[in-house]
Amino acid sequence: MATILKSARSIVPLMDRVLVQRVKAEAKTASGILLPEKNVEKLNQAKVLAVGPGFTDANGNKVVPQVKIGDQVLIPQYGGSAIKLSGDDEVVLFRDSEILAKINDA
């Protein structure tokens, strides 16, 4: 059963879940040639849109997510729970432990 939501703002992650949106790959080469949509691959880079509050482990310690809203992160090629938004937009819900790395702006 597919649910189409109007916007990502209506999604509030629970526990250690992180809501991300993949960065769209350039559809134009450096020399200005436009690429067909089927030849543009999905990038493993995403922007964090929302973060859950964390969870309490078996020892009673509070475990908070390592990322915050606005961070650029690397995500696995497969996995997560994809959520369709109105239009062609899609966001993905991952656990904090599934996110591979943060990307620092240099």
Side-chain angles (χ1 to χ4, degrees):
M1 182 170 152
T3 302
I4 298 177
L5 300 173
K6 290 184 180 181
S7 74
R9 290 183 189 159
S10 62
I11 302 169
V12 179
L14 300 176
M15 297 181 64
D16 65 335
R17 300 215 171 47
V18 179
L19 184 70
V20 300
Q21 184 169 32
R22 287 185 189 270
V23 174
K24 295 190 191 286
E26 289 292 322
K28 188 191 284 189
T29 64
S31 60
I33 299 171
L34 292 175
L35 298 172
E37 211 172 289
K38 66 179 182 176
N39 290 352
V40 178
E41 63 185 49
K42 287 186 176 180
L43 296 178
N44 287 8
Q45 186 175 344
K47 181 178 180 181
V48 176
L49 301 177
V51 179
F55 67 98
T56 305
D57 67 7
N59 297 326
N61 299 321
K62 179 78 173 180
V63 179
V64 296
Q66 300 288 315
V67 296
K68 62 183 185 309
I69 296 173
D71 282 350
Q72 294 287 325
V73 295
L74 288 178
I75 56 175
Q77 185 71 28
Y78 302 103
S81 299
I83 302 166
K84 295 278 187 190
L85 301 177
S86 60
D88 262 354
D89 291 335
E90 180 180 89
V91 292
V92 185
L93 202 57
F94 284 99
R95 287 191 178 273
D96 181 54
S97 60
E98 294 174 334
I99 293 176
L100 303 175
K102 272 202 263 188
I103 300 172
N104 292 329
D105 295 329

Short mmCIF file of all heavy atoms in Angstrom, two decimals, residues 47-73:
data_model
loop_
_atom_site.label_atom_id
_atom_site.label_comp_id
_atom_site.label_asym_id
_atom_site.label_seq_id
_atom_site.Cartn_x
_atom_site.Cartn_y
_atom_site.Cartn_z
N LYS A 47 20.57 15.03 2.11
CA LYS A 47 20.45 16.10 3.10
C LYS A 47 19.47 15.64 4.17
O LYS A 47 18.40 15.11 3.87
CB LYS A 47 19.93 17.37 2.44
CG LYS A 47 19.80 18.53 3.38
CD LYS A 47 19.33 19.76 2.66
CE LYS A 47 19.21 20.91 3.66
NZ LYS A 47 18.73 22.12 3.01
N VAL A 48 19.83 15.85 5.43
CA VAL A 48 18.98 15.46 6.56
C VAL A 48 17.85 16.48 6.70
O VAL A 48 18.09 17.68 6.84
CB VAL A 48 19.80 15.38 7.86
CG1 VAL A 48 18.90 15.07 9.05
CG2 VAL A 48 20.90 14.33 7.74
N LEU A 49 16.61 15.98 6.68
CA LEU A 49 15.42 16.84 6.80
C LEU A 49 14.84 16.83 8.20
O LEU A 49 14.30 17.84 8.66
CB LEU A 49 14.35 16.39 5.81
CG LEU A 49 14.73 16.40 4.33
CD1 LEU A 49 13.58 15.87 3.50
CD2 LEU A 49 15.12 17.80 3.88
N ALA A 50 14.91 15.69 8.88
CA ALA A 50 14.35 15.57 10.24
C ALA A 50 15.08 14.45 10.97
O ALA A 50 15.55 13.50 10.35
CB ALA A 50 12.86 15.28 10.17
N VAL A 51 15.14 14.57 12.29
CA VAL A 51 15.84 13.60 13.12
C VAL A 51 14.98 13.26 14.33
O VAL A 51 14.40 14.15 14.95
CB VAL A 51 17.20 14.17 13.61
CG1 VAL A 51 17.93 13.18 14.50
CG2 VAL A 51 18.07 14.58 12.44
N GLY A 52 14.92 11.96 14.65
CA GLY A 52 14.18 11.53 15.83
C GLY A 52 14.93 11.89 17.10
O GLY A 52 16.11 12.23 17.07
N PRO A 53 14.27 11.78 18.26
CA PRO A 53 14.89 12.19 19.53
C PRO A 53 15.92 11.22 20.08
O PRO A 53 16.67 11.55 20.98
CB PRO A 53 13.69 12.26 20.48
CG PRO A 53 12.71 11.30 19.92
CD PRO A 53 12.89 11.35 18.43
N GLY A 54 16.00 10.00 19.56
CA GLY A 54 16.92 9.00 20.09
C GLY A 54 16.16 7.95 20.87
O GLY A 54 14.94 7.91 20.85
N PHE A 55 16.90 7.08 21.55
CA PHE A 55 16.27 6.02 22.32
C PHE A 55 17.09 5.73 23.57
O PHE A 55 18.21 6.21 23.72
CB PHE A 55 16.10 4.75 21.47
CG PHE A 55 17.40 4.10 21.09
CD1 PHE A 55 17.88 3.01 21.80
CD2 PHE A 55 18.15 4.55 20.01
CE1 PHE A 55 19.07 2.40 21.47
CE2 PHE A 55 19.34 3.95 19.66
CZ PHE A 55 19.81 2.87 20.38
N THR A 56 16.53 4.93 24.46
CA THR A 56 17.22 4.52 25.67
C THR A 56 17.66 3.07 25.50
O THR A 56 16.84 2.20 25.19
CB THR A 56 16.29 4.64 26.89
OG1 THR A 56 15.80 5.99 26.94
CG2 THR A 56 17.02 4.34 28.17
N ASP A 57 18.96 2.80 25.67
CA ASP A 57 19.47 1.43 25.49
C ASP A 57 19.15 0.55 26.70
O ASP A 57 18.51 1.00 27.66
CB ASP A 57 20.97 1.43 25.17
CG ASP A 57 21.84 1.91 26.31
OD1 ASP A 57 21.31 2.13 27.43
OD2 ASP A 57 23.05 2.05 26.11
N ALA A 58 19.59 -0.69 26.67
CA ALA A 58 19.29 -1.66 27.73
C ALA A 58 19.85 -1.25 29.09
O ALA A 58 19.35 -1.67 30.13
CB ALA A 58 19.82 -3.04 27.33
N ASN A 59 20.92 -0.43 29.09
CA ASN A 59 21.53 0.01 30.35
C ASN A 59 20.91 1.29 30.89
O ASN A 59 21.38 1.83 31.89
CB ASN A 59 23.04 0.22 30.15
CG ASN A 59 23.73 -1.08 29.79
OD1 ASN A 59 23.34 -2.14 30.25
ND2 ASN A 59 24.75 -0.98 28.96
N GLY A 60 19.92 1.84 30.18
CA GLY A 60 19.28 3.06 30.62
C GLY A 60 19.95 4.33 30.13
O GLY A 60 19.60 5.42 30.56
N ASN A 61 20.93 4.19 29.23
CA ASN A 61 21.63 5.36 28.69
C ASN A 61 20.88 5.92 27.49
O ASN A 61 20.40 5.17 26.65
CB ASN A 61 23.05 4.98 28.25
CG ASN A 61 23.87 4.47 29.40
OD1 ASN A 61 23.79 4.98 30.51
ND2 ASN A 61 24.67 3.45 29.15
N LYS A 62 20.79 7.23 27.42
CA LYS A 62 20.14 7.90 26.29
C LYS A 62 21.10 7.91 25.10
O LYS A 62 22.24 8.34 25.22
CB LYS A 62 19.77 9.34 26.68
CG LYS A 62 19.11 10.13 25.60
CD LYS A 62 17.66 9.75 25.46
CE LYS A 62 17.01 10.70 24.47
NZ LYS A 62 15.63 10.43 24.26
N VAL A 63 20.65 7.39 23.96
CA VAL A 63 21.46 7.36 22.74
C VAL A 63 20.81 8.32 21.75
O VAL A 63 19.70 8.09 21.30
CB VAL A 63 21.53 5.93 22.14
CG1 VAL A 63 22.36 5.93 20.87
CG2 VAL A 63 22.10 4.96 23.16
N VAL A 64 21.51 9.42 21.45
CA VAL A 64 20.97 10.42 20.52
C VAL A 64 21.60 10.24 19.13
O VAL A 64 22.74 9.80 19.03
CB VAL A 64 21.20 11.86 21.03
CG1 VAL A 64 20.46 12.10 22.32
CG2 VAL A 64 22.67 12.13 21.22
N PRO A 65 20.87 10.56 18.08
CA PRO A 65 21.43 10.45 16.73
C PRO A 65 22.67 11.32 16.53
O PRO A 65 22.80 12.37 17.17
CB PRO A 65 20.28 10.91 15.83
CG PRO A 65 19.05 10.64 16.64
CD PRO A 65 19.46 10.91 18.06
N GLN A 66 23.56 10.88 15.66
CA GLN A 66 24.82 11.57 15.41
C GLN A 66 24.70 12.72 14.42
O GLN A 66 25.65 13.46 14.23
CB GLN A 66 25.85 10.56 14.86
CG GLN A 66 26.14 9.40 15.79
CD GLN A 66 26.95 9.85 16.98
OE1 GLN A 66 27.92 10.59 16.84
NE2 GLN A 66 26.55 9.44 18.16
N VAL A 67 23.55 12.85 13.76
CA VAL A 67 23.37 13.89 12.75
C VAL A 67 22.30 14.87 13.21
O VAL A 67 21.53 14.59 14.13
CB VAL A 67 22.97 13.28 11.39
CG1 VAL A 67 24.09 12.41 10.85
CG2 VAL A 67 21.69 12.49 11.48
N LYS A 68 22.26 16.03 12.55
CA LYS A 68 21.24 17.03 12.85
C LYS A 68 20.65 17.54 11.55
O LYS A 68 21.18 17.29 10.46
CB LYS A 68 21.81 18.16 13.69
CG LYS A 68 22.91 18.96 13.02
CD LYS A 68 23.45 20.00 13.99
CE LYS A 68 24.46 20.91 13.38
NZ LYS A 68 25.56 20.34 12.68
N ILE A 69 19.55 18.24 11.65
CA ILE A 69 18.87 18.77 10.47
C ILE A 69 19.82 19.67 9.69
O ILE A 69 20.52 20.51 10.26
CB ILE A 69 17.60 19.54 10.88
CG1 ILE A 69 16.61 18.59 11.53
CG2 ILE A 69 16.98 20.25 9.69
CD1 ILE A 69 15.40 19.26 12.12
N GLY A 70 19.86 19.48 8.37
CA GLY A 70 20.71 20.28 7.49
C GLY A 70 22.04 19.63 7.15
O GLY A 70 22.72 20.08 6.24
N ASP A 71 22.45 18.58 7.88
CA ASP A 71 23.71 17.90 7.58
C ASP A 71 23.65 17.22 6.22
O ASP A 71 22.60 16.75 5.79
CB ASP A 71 24.01 16.82 8.63
CG ASP A 71 24.56 17.38 9.93
OD1 ASP A 71 24.90 18.57 9.96
OD2 ASP A 71 24.63 16.62 10.91
N GLN A 72 24.79 17.18 5.55
CA GLN A 72 24.96 16.40 4.33
C GLN A 72 25.57 15.07 4.75
O GLN A 72 26.56 15.05 5.48
CB GLN A 72 25.89 17.11 3.33
CG GLN A 72 25.34 18.41 2.80
CD GLN A 72 24.21 18.19 1.81
OE1 GLN A 72 24.21 17.24 1.06
NE2 GLN A 72 23.24 19.09 1.84
N VAL A 73 24.98 13.96 4.31
CA VAL A 73 25.43 12.64 4.74
C VAL A 73 25.58 11.69 3.56
O VAL A 73 25.02 11.92 2.48
CB VAL A 73 24.44 12.01 5.77
CG1 VAL A 73 24.41 12.81 7.05
CG2 VAL A 73 23.05 11.89 5.18
#
